[in-house]
Amino acid sequence: MSLFVRLADWHTDRNAIRGIRQKVFVEEQNVPPELEWDELEETAQHFLVYHDSKAIGTGRLTGGGKIGRMAIQREARGHGAGLELLRRICKFAGLSGQKNVYLNAQVHAIPFYEKAGFVPVGDEFMEAAIPHVRMERTLNDSEPSENLDDWNR
């Protein structure tokens, strides 16, 4: 599967981002819409992952290195899109000066995040009526060099 991840902007890419998250979180996982959309949308750095020219996934990075709202459309799961999206979000966070990133992982997805170098921290908790656990990762400075200007070429 050929994948491409790019920076996204809430104002210009809102329809793609909302469409993916609506399907995955609100429809599939029954997350109440009032919990899905929050005040961080406009200030977060959003990302879109594409297969060919179709947006198939999204995620965001908010203040303090928090990764969230990672969603891959059902038909695209299992082909590496989620790991590629997560890898690129982590890379962007490092290039932006973050030394560590964290996320609240749905418990069933812990092995997925562990593959990307995240480790569980703390106890299980409920978020949107779904069991979660906080996971953290220290970013590696020895990855191949790149700069923020390379992102949207």
Side-chain angles (χ1 to χ4, degrees):
M1 180 177 258
S2 69
L3 300 168
F4 174 72
V5 178
R6 73 166 179 86
L7 297 177
D9 175 79
W10 179 250
H11 298 288
T12 57
D13 297 307
R14 178 186 323 210
N15 289 342
I17 295 165
R18 283 187 70 97
I20 293 165
R21 287 172 41 191
Q22 177 72 26
K23 257 187 168 172
V24 172
F25 295 125
V26 177
E27 295 172 20
E28 287 180 30
Q29 298 181 1
N30 297 312
V31 172
E34 61 273 14
L35 295 180
E36 181 55 30
W37 315 110
D38 64 22
E39 71 284 352
L40 299 175
E41 302 299 357
E42 293 192 13
T43 58
Q45 176 58 67
H46 294 270
F47 300 81
L48 285 167
V49 60
Y50 290 83
H51 175 247
D52 296 329
S53 60
K54 182 180 182 214
I56 59 167
T58 188
R60 73 180 190 185
L61 180 67
T62 57
K66 183 177 183 185
I67 297 170
R69 305 307 203 265
M70 290 267 307
I72 303 295
Q73 291 183 344
R74 182 187 308 261
E75 62 274 9
R77 293 179 200 150
H79 300 286
L83 277 175
E84 181 63 12
L85 175 61
L86 186 57
R87 184 184 76 77
R88 296 295 288 170
I89 293 172
C90 289
K91 182 68 169 177
F92 181 88
L95 291 169
S96 299
Q98 294 291 326
K99 300 294 181 202
N100 301 291
V101 289
Y102 72 98
L103 50 83
N104 294 336
Q106 293 182 9
V107 169
H108 74 86
I110 290 172
F112 165 80
Y113 290 108
E114 286 175 330
K115 281 188 219 173
F118 284 80
V119 294
V121 178
D123 296 325
E124 189 176 305
F125 60 93
M126 297 300 282
E127 189 172 84
I130 301 168
H132 283 73
V133 68
R134 180 182 169 116
M135 298 186 78
E136 299 176 354
R137 177 181 166 194
T138 300
L139 299 175
N140 185 350
D141 290 335
S142 65
E143 292 183 24
S145 66
E146 183 178 355
N147 66 54
L148 291 176
D149 295 332
D150 295 333
W151 269 76
N152 284 324
R153 289 187 184 168

